[in-house]
Amino acid sequence: MNPNKEKRHKLNVVLEKYMKTLKFFASFKMKDKKLLQQKAYKEARVKFGLSSTLTETARDKGVELVKANDDREFHIHQVSIRVNYRAFK
């Protein structure tokens, strides 16, 4: 993938929103993604403006991080993001 300057800027904006969404979901410290979906999904969609696919991916990643850290405090500095046709059109 070799995006031009405009596409690179758009990707960086989306990545920043994704990180904020991920931190938002992780802040609930919930290990059940269905319960997290009910509690925070709509708010995250409105607040961060990501597509449903990226919002769901951030939710899932947030749950994974909470489970992996098992009640320890953690900080999110870097995370991978899945880029596919569903995420970007």
Side-chain angles (χ1 to χ4, degrees), residues 2 8 23 25 28-29 32 34-35 42 75 78:
N2 188 16
R8 190 171 35 250
K23 289 177 182 180
F25 281 125
F28 284 86
K29 294 182 173 55
D32 183 357
K34 289 183 181 180
L35 187 57
K42 288 181 184 176
H75 302 281
Q78 215 174 19

Side-chain angles (χ1 to χ4, degrees), residues 29-51:
K29 294 182 173 55
M30 296 178 82
K31 296 179 182 178
D32 183 357
K33 70 179 174 182
K34 289 183 181 180
L35 187 57
L36 186 57
Q37 173 81 9
Q38 293 171 353
K39 207 165 195 158
Y41 177 79
K42 288 181 184 176
E43 183 181 350
R45 281 293 309 268
V46 171
K47 190 173 185 176
F48 301 106
L50 286 176
S51 70

Side-chain angles (χ1 to χ4, degrees), residues 7-89:
K7 287 181 183 177
R8 190 171 35 250
H9 172 71
K10 287 180 181 180
L11 285 170
N12 285 331
V13 168
V14 169
L15 181 59
E16 186 176 317
K17 287 181 182 181
Y18 180 83
M19 288 293 289
K20 288 179 182 179
T21 307
L22 173 59
K23 289 177 182 180
F24 172 75
F25 281 125
S27 72
F28 284 86
K29 294 182 173 55
M30 296 178 82
K31 296 179 182 178
D32 183 357
K33 70 179 174 182
K34 289 183 181 180
L35 187 57
L36 186 57
Q37 173 81 9
Q38 293 171 353
K39 207 165 195 158
Y41 177 79
K42 288 181 184 176
E43 183 181 350
R45 281 293 309 268
V46 171
K47 190 173 185 176
F48 301 106
L50 286 176
S51 70
S52 61
T53 302
L54 286 175
T55 303
E56 290 169 7
T57 304
R59 178 205 61 207
D60 295 348
K61 191 65 146 175
V63 169
E64 287 174 20
L65 288 170
V66 170
K67 284 181 180 178
N69 287 286
D70 199 31
D71 297 329
R72 294 181 305 231
E73 187 170 330
F74 61 95
H75 302 281
I76 304 166
H77 299 290
Q78 215 174 19
V79 69
S80 62
I81 182 172
R82 193 175 309 137
V83 180
N84 62 18
Y85 72 94
R86 289 184 59 215
F88 298 98
K89 293 183 180 176

